[in-house]
């Protein structure tokens, strides 16, 4: 009655299979009439001890007889029974066994009961497995499909039937391509065949799929698969478990997109780049095309105004997976206004996000241009999200997201995602806008504080290098200047205010303005520095009162080098206040650092400054610089000066090329301190362009001066200025004769970019311009001088003073004559 080997189609784990179970036969009176060897193994009774005996007599404990009678009654009633009952082992211990009982009818209507028995634990385990299998097909939320070796469907569970929207009967015998579309079918079948061929399972592999019943929605499923085999190792097919993880995938995808947005948007404070980063993040992960538009004021870096919501916007960035879309959409930099009918206009007006899951087929509401409208029709954009870009309560612009190639429309979750990273991007855009605003303000300050383009000078050829330590503001405390002076002279200035940034720049601006004023008064270099020292002390006192610093603490300081070069005498007068000496390079390449009196830094107060004078050959190079140039890159002062000397000694270069070489040699990276460098190559006025006479102070001096002026100007080809110049020179010489104390006076004419007339005497009395009354016999001379010249002024020397005037060489002779006549008549 036993069969040790599993029969065909039997599962080796089935406890009631013939090769696993024990069996017995009871007659209609409950006597044992059949007993298998496996029954003896389970209960210990040999056949000869049990055959013919009633089962209740020796197999049932008195305590269990009630349960056994109930089972027997159920078996009689139902013609069979299965369950677990306790049975006595031959040794006397109780053993729980699983039973399956079936009625057997023999000839003559005799009825017997065939019992199949297995250990209760194995039965329970088997029943549990059967329950799990039943649950997988009936109650599991995870889809399950069983495929034959040719991948046709043998069976699916209810979850997969709901997913495919087909019943189990409809899908049985069909193939995957019958309910999925696109390349997803090939992907799934390739993976299942690999499982069939190799036996290696597929575990939690995510992939997209589209159902034929719902082709507009892309789903994401997680697939696991294993190969099925019979007990002998034959391949029966493959089973796959399919879980719809679309929501989980999208949530993970949105989180990843937000993370990318956080890391990729706002990497710089450049407004244009920040908006392009926003566009690049959105495509293609969220949209097929995207545009970023800012209010015009925001695009300029200014504060946004509420009234701009309906005004023009500037396209800052556009990106698309479709090349044609880039040709249709407004390009970067375009300024335009949205039609009031568009979702964009509503978004700006209402400052709220707008979701248009299904767009109208005619894009005429967006493009007024007929050609753009026609081409936009071919894009077949079908869904739109518009999100306002707001930061710190202010509207900056908007973000537009389009879908055309991706079939599924935008949903509420997509809108939430767009709002989230638009909010993050808007903050970065506002930071970039604020930086742009501050940077433009700093550049404006820099342009107002430093010379941007140096004009041509007769005295020198100049070039400069300026690098602030703070690249964000673009300004610092160093400055340079070239100031034209009377007599074709020029002042060269380099200074360094303690500190960096805007505060130092503001102080520098005040000092530079003061230098211009002092230079205009023609003070000597040491006198200029003395006045600057007083100004720095006043600035320090103001700041001390404002900031509450301890008394006596130097909170404003500066150094300065001031030089005046005269191209007629080739003499250069210099004074320095705590500043490094200039470098002088002769035309033959000889380099020297002149031994100048050092002088204290500006702001110490009460200490004297001294000037020194150099005679410079024509073509000499004068280099004025700040300490940031020679102390950058970890160099000490001596090393930096030596390297500067070496670079400046190279011949055959323009001044601009020399500036570049200096920067390359001494500033390998961005300098930690402000850097200013001013290069000046000296020029000399030819002797034939200068005429000078010394004459005694006598009544005939004015007549002689007029004659000399007329003769000289005629020789220079400036006859048209002769009459005017004679009149001015006559007035100046007359004043020198009257108020000069009787000492000889000097007349000098210089033909430069303008005509310069100078009259010098030993008196220090300053001439004053006044308006004479109609009854006055005099007092009109300097008024005439001021009216007839471009500029005039007085400069003082150790020997007296010089009154100078300048005439424009472009003045028309007729115009001058008429102007002079009118003034004289008045």
């Amino acid at each position: 009655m036993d069969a040790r080997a599993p029969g065909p189609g039997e599962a080796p784990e089935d406890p009631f299979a013939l090769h696993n179970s024990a069996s017995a036969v009871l007659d209609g009176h409950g006597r044992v009439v059949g007993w298998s060897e496996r029954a003896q193994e389970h209960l210990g009774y040999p056949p000869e001890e049990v055959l013919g005996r009633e089962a209740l007599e020796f197999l049932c404990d008195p305590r269990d007889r009630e349960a056994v009678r109930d089972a027997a009654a159920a078996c009689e009633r139902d013609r069979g029974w299965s369950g677990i009952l306790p049975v006595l082992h031959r040794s006397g211990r109780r053993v729980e066994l699983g039973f399956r009982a079936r009625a057997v009818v023999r000839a003559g209507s005799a009825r017997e009961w065939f019992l199949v028995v297995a250990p209760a634990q194995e039965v329970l385990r088997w029943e549990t497995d059967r329950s799990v299998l039943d649950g997988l097909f009936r109650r599991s939320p995870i889809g399950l499909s069983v495929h034959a070796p040719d991948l046709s469907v043998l069976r699916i569970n209810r979850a997969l039937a709901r997913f495919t929207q087909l019943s189990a009967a409809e899908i049985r015998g069909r193939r995957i391509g019958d309910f999925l579309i696109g390349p997803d079918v090939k992907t799934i079948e390739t993976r299942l065949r690999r499982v069939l061929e190799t036996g290696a399972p597929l575990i939690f592999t995510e992939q997209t799929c589209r159902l034929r019943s719902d082709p507009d929605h892309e789903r994401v499923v997680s697939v696991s698969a294993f190969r099925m085999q019979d007990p002998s190792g034959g391949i029966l097919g493959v089973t796959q478990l399919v879980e719809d993880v679309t929501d989980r995938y999208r949530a993970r995808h949105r989180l990843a997109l937000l993370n990318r947005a956080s890391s990729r948007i706002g990497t710089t404070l450049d407004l244009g780049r920040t908006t392009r980063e926003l566009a690049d993040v959105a495509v293609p992960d969220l949209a097929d095309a995207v545009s970023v538009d800012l209010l015009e004021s925001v695009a300029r870096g200014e504060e946004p105004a509420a009234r701009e919501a309906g005004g023009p916007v500037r396209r800052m960035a556009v990106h698309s997976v479709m090349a044609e879309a880039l040709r249709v959409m407004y390009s970067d930099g375009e300024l335009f206004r949205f039609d009031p009918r568009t979702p964009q206009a509503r978004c700006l007006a209402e400052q709220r996000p707008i979701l248009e899951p299904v767009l109208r087929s005619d894009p005429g509401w967006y493009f007024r241009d007929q050609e753009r409208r026609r081409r936009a029709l071919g894009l077949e954009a079908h869904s739109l999200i518009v999100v306002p870009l707001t930061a710190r309560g202010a509207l900056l612009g908007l973000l537009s997201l389009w879908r055309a190639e991706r079939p599924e429309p935008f949903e509420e979750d997509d809108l939430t995602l767009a709002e989230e990273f638009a909010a993050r991007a808007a903050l970065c855009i506002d930071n970039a806008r604020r930086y742009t605003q501050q940077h433009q303000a700093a550049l404006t300050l820099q342009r107002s504080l430093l010379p941007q383009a140096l004009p041509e000078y007769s005295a020198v050829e100049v070039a400069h290098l300026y690098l602030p330590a703070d690249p964000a503001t673009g300004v610092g405390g160093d400055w340079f200047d070239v100031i034209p002076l009377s007599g074709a002279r020029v002042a060269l200035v380099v200074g360094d205010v303690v500190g960096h940034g805007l505060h130092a720049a503001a102080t520098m601006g005040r000092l530079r303005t003061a230098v211009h004023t002092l230079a205009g008064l023609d003070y000597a270099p040491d006198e200029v520095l003395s006045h600057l020292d007083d100004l720095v002390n006043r600035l320090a006192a103001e700041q001390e009162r404002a900031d509450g610093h301890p008394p006596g603490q130097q909170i404003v300081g500066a150094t300065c080098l001031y030089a005046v070069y005269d191209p007629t005498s080739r003499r250069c007068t210099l004074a320095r206040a705590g500043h490094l000496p200039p470098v002088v390079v002769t035309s033959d390449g000889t380099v020297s650092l002149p031994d100048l009196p050092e002088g204290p830094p500006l702001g110490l107060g009460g200490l004297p400054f001294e000037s020194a004078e150099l005679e410079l050959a024509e073509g000499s190079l004068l280099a004025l610089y700040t300490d940031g140039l020679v102390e950058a890159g970890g160099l000490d002062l001596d090393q930096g000066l030596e390297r500067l000397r070496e670079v400046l000694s190279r011949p055959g270069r323009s001044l601009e090329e020399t500036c570049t070489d200096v920067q390359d040699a001494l500033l390998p990276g961005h300098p930690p301190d402000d850097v200013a460098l001013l290069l000046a190559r000296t020029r000399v006025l030819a002797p034939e362009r200068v005429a000078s006479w010394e004459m005694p102070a006598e009544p005939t001096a004015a007549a002689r001066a007029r004659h000399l002026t007329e003769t000289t100007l005629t020789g220079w080809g400036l006859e048209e200025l002769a009459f005017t110049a004679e009149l001015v020179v006559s007035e100046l010489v007359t004043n020198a004769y009257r108020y000069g104390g009787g000492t000889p006076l000097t007349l000098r004419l210089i033909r430069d970019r303008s005509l310069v007339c100078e009259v010098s005497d030993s008196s220090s009395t300053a001439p004053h311009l006044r308006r004479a009354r109609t009854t006055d016999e005099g007092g009109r001379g300097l008024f005439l001088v001021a009216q007839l010249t471009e500029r005039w002024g007085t400069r003082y020397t150790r020997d007296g003073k010089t009154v100078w005037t300048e005439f424009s060489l472009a003045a028309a002779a007729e115009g001058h004559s008429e102007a002079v006549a009118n003034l004289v008549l008045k």
Side-chain angles (χ1 to χ4, degrees):
M1 296 183 64
D2 292 309
R4 296 288 181 175
E10 287 188 338
E13 299 86 359
D14 186 355
F16 292 111
L18 293 178
H19 66 285
N20 285 334
S21 63
S23 59
V25 180
L26 303 181
D27 64 12
H29 301 287
R31 291 190 296 266
V32 179
V33 295
W35 194 254
S36 71
E37 292 181 5
R38 296 299 297 273
Q40 180 179 348
E41 293 177 7
H42 286 313
L43 296 175
Y45 295 101
E48 59 269 18
E49 291 185 12
V50 298
L51 291 175
R53 298 178 60 184
E54 290 187 11
L56 284 177
E57 177 185 339
F58 66 94
L59 292 178
C60 183
D61 186 285
R63 293 172 296 176
D64 301 322
R65 288 187 177 183
E66 188 65 31
V68 171
R69 288 192 179 97
D70 291 342
C75 184
E76 183 74 29
R77 182 182 64 248
D78 300 329
R79 309 289 292 176
W81 179 84
S82 63
I84 296 175
L85 288 174
V87 180
L88 280 176
H89 190 272
R90 188 171 182 270
S91 64
R93 59 185 174 86
R94 296 169 73 228
V95 178
E96 288 193 339
L97 297 176
F99 287 84
R100 284 185 181 177
R102 290 292 183 268
V104 179
V105 179
R106 290 184 178 274
S109 300
R111 185 169 59 184
E112 295 179 346
W113 298 95
F114 179 70
L115 306 179
V116 182
V117 182
Q121 289 183 344
E122 295 181 9
V123 172
L124 288 173
R125 184 167 56 248
W126 172 253
E127 292 297 334
T128 300
D129 291 345
R130 298 282 295 186
S131 177
V132 170
L133 183 62
D134 180 71
L136 286 174
F137 278 95
R138 295 178 180 274
R139 290 175 291 277
S140 173
I142 298 176
L144 179 70
S145 64
V146 182
H147 299 264
D150 65 352
L151 298 185
S152 61
V153 179
L154 297 176
R155 186 179 179 185
I156 66 170
N157 68 350
R158 293 177 178 177
L160 192 58
R162 289 192 297 269
F163 178 77
T164 60
Q165 301 180 20
L166 296 172
S167 67
E170 289 176 312
I171 206 171
R172 187 178 296 115
R174 301 172 69 175
R175 303 186 66 85
I176 296 174
D178 293 332
F179 52 90
L180 294 184
I181 61 174
D184 308 320
V185 176
K186 183 178 180 181
T187 301
I188 294 174
E189 289 186 343
T190 299
R191 290 173 175 171
L192 292 182
R193 286 196 181 95
R194 189 179 301 118
V195 173
L196 280 170
E197 293 169 0
T198 65
L202 188 67
I203 301 175
F204 298 128
T205 302
E206 289 186 356
Q207 64 186 68
T208 59
C209 67
R210 296 179 189 272
L211 297 171
R212 289 189 177 276
S213 58
D214 188 15
D216 290 339
H217 287 83
E218 184 179 71
R219 300 169 185 265
V220 180
V221 294
S222 174
V223 178
S224 298
F226 59 90
R227 187 169 69 183
M228 299 183 299
Q229 298 175 226
D230 62 20
S232 63
I235 298 176
L236 301 176
V238 62
T239 297
Q240 67 170 345
L241 291 87
V242 181
E243 182 181 6
D244 185 353
V245 294
T246 304
D247 292 340
R248 186 172 67 199
Y249 173 83
R250 289 180 177 174
R252 189 171 69 244
H253 176 73
R254 293 186 183 103
L255 181 60
L257 182 57
L258 288 176
N259 288 336
R260 285 198 299 274
S262 299
S263 62
R264 292 172 56 185
I265 299 175
T267 59
T268 69
L269 288 173
D270 180 80
L271 192 59
R273 182 168 178 177
T274 301
T275 54
R276 289 192 297 272
E277 289 169 344
L278 170 58
D280 292 342
V281 166
V283 174
D285 292 326
L286 182 59
D288 295 325
V290 63
S291 62
V292 183
D293 304 305
L294 298 183
L295 302 180
E296 187 178 11
S297 60
V298 176
R300 294 194 302 265
E302 301 172 1
E303 290 289 338
R307 63 179 181 277
E308 283 190 279
V313 297
R314 187 169 297 279
R315 174 63 48 86
M316 298 298 295
V318 61
H319 189 34
S320 176
V321 296
M322 304 171 292
E324 180 62 20
L326 297 177
R327 291 188 285 269
V328 172
M329 301 173 73
Y330 294 112
S331 303
D332 294 356
E334 283 195 61
L335 186 68
F336 61 96
R337 191 188 303 267
F338 285 111
D339 189 285
R341 297 172 295 169
T342 62
Q344 283 82 354
R346 297 203 313 272
C347 176
L348 289 174
E350 301 171 12
Q351 298 188 26
R352 65 176 182 87
I354 293 178
L355 170 62
E356 295 279 353
V358 180
L359 291 175
R360 288 178 288 175
S361 58
D362 180 12
W365 53 268
Y366 188 80
F367 293 112
R368 298 181 180 180
D369 187 327
Q370 293 293 332
E371 176 61 20
R372 274 184 168 167
R373 181 184 306 178
R374 182 188 64 79
R375 296 169 65 183
L377 277 171
L379 296 177
E380 299 182 352
H382 60 82
S383 192
L384 170 68
I385 286 178
V386 186
V387 183
L389 296 171
T390 57
R392 301 179 177 95
L395 176 66
L396 308 177
L398 55 84
L399 170 69
S400 301
L401 304 163
W402 311 79
R403 279 187 180 172
E405 291 193 344
R406 189 180 305 188
E408 58 270 10
F410 285 118
E411 301 174 347
E412 288 293 337
D413 288 343
D414 297 315
L415 178 61
T416 302
L417 176 62
E419 288 182 272
E420 180 64 28
F421 77 77
R424 300 187 185 192
L427 188 60
C428 296
I429 290 173
D430 193 50
N431 290 338
R433 179 197 63 77
R434 289 168 178 259
Y435 169 77
T436 300
Q437 183 183 42
Q438 295 175 6
H439 187 62
Q440 289 176 345
L443 291 178
T444 302
L445 176 62
Q446 180 189 21
R447 285 191 290 267
S448 66
L449 295 181
L450 294 174
Q452 298 303 301
L454 297 176
E456 288 288 330
Y457 300 98
S458 299
V460 290
E461 175 191 359
V462 293
H464 67 276
L465 171 67
Y466 182 79
L467 293 174
D470 185 0
T473 61
V475 293
D478 291 8
W479 89 93
F480 65 92
D481 227 326
V482 182
I483 307 171
L485 303 177
S486 63
R489 298 170 305 139
V490 67
L492 306 172
V493 190
V494 165
D496 183 357
V497 174
V498 175
H500 310 294
L502 290 176
H503 180 74
T507 303
M508 175 267 285
R510 299 176 73 173
L511 294 182
R512 179 172 180 260
T513 301
V515 170
H516 272 261
T517 301
L518 296 171
L521 296 174
D522 261 320
Y523 283 129
D526 55 332
E527 294 177 320
V528 170
L529 296 183
S530 295
H531 286 290
L532 284 180
D533 185 54
D534 293 339
L535 175 60
V536 171
N537 282 324
R538 289 196 298 273
L539 294 178
E542 292 175 6
Q543 188 171 339
E544 181 180 304
R545 290 191 296 271
D547 298 343
H549 287 270
Q553 179 181 352
Q554 185 179 359
I555 57 177
V556 177
T559 64
C560 184
L561 174 61
Y562 187 91
V564 175
Y565 174 69
D566 188 343
T568 61
S569 65
R570 297 187 290 107
R571 292 189 177 277
C572 183
T573 306
L574 308 95
R576 60 185 181 125
H579 204 86
L580 294 173
V583 177
V584 177
V585 185
T586 62
S587 56
D588 62 1
T590 302
V591 182
S592 63
L593 272 72
D595 184 16
L596 303 179
E598 182 174 356
L602 300 175
L604 295 184
L607 300 177
F609 299 94
E610 298 182 49
S611 295
E613 190 171 81
L614 304 175
E615 185 172 332
L616 301 177
E618 184 176 5
S620 297
L621 178 64
L622 191 64
L624 287 68
Y625 54 91
T626 57
D627 56 2
L629 177 67
V630 294
E631 293 180 348
L635 299 176
D636 61 31
L637 181 59
D638 292 336
Q639 291 174 324
L641 288 174
E642 184 58 34
R643 186 170 296 183
L644 177 62
R645 290 163 57 106
E646 191 274 329
V647 176
L648 293 177
S649 66
R650 301 170 188 169
R653 296 167 300 164
S654 67
L655 293 185
E656 288 74 13
E657 292 172 339
T658 303
C659 284
T660 301
D661 291 344
V662 169
Q663 182 175 358
D664 294 342
L666 279 80
L667 303 171
H670 196 86
D673 192 9
D674 300 329
V675 171
L677 170 66
L678 178 63
L679 299 181
R681 182 170 284 132
T682 61
R683 293 168 173 163
V684 176
L685 288 181
E688 59 270 17
R689 297 173 62 183
V690 180
S692 180
W693 304 272
E694 184 175 316
M695 57 188 68
E698 56 187 25
T700 60
R704 185 186 175 196
R706 287 195 299 272
H707 172 72
L708 292 173
T709 300
E710 190 274 335
T711 303
T712 302
L713 294 186
T714 301
W716 285 347
L718 300 177
E719 297 89 345
E720 67 276 6
L721 289 177
F723 181 76
T724 308
E726 286 180 50
L727 184 60
V728 170
V729 166
S730 178
E731 176 62 29
L732 297 182
V733 169
T734 300
N735 285 344
Y737 163 69
R738 289 179 177 177
Y739 308 111
T743 59
L745 53 92
T746 301
L747 169 64
R748 186 169 73 160
L749 303 178
I750 302 174
R751 181 188 177 187
D752 189 22
R753 298 178 186 275
S754 60
L755 175 64
V756 179
C757 301
E758 297 180 344
V759 175
S760 303
D761 59 53
S762 60
S763 171
S764 59
T765 303
H768 294 286
L769 177 67
R770 65 186 181 90
R771 183 175 293 275
R773 294 171 297 184
T774 55
T775 57
D776 290 344
E777 296 184 359
R780 297 179 177 83
L782 286 181
F783 176 76
L784 289 175
V785 170
Q787 295 296 312
L788 295 175
T789 60
E790 274 196 340
R791 295 195 308 151
W792 76 282
T794 305
R795 67 174 180 269
Y796 294 90
T797 65
R798 291 182 176 85
D799 301 324
K801 71 174 184 299
T802 298
V803 181
W804 55 269
T805 64
E806 289 185 4
F807 297 89
S808 172
L809 297 183
E814 185 176 352
H816 262 282
S817 300
E818 291 182 0
V820 171
N822 290 334
L823 286 172
V824 171
L825 290 175
K826 289 179 180 180

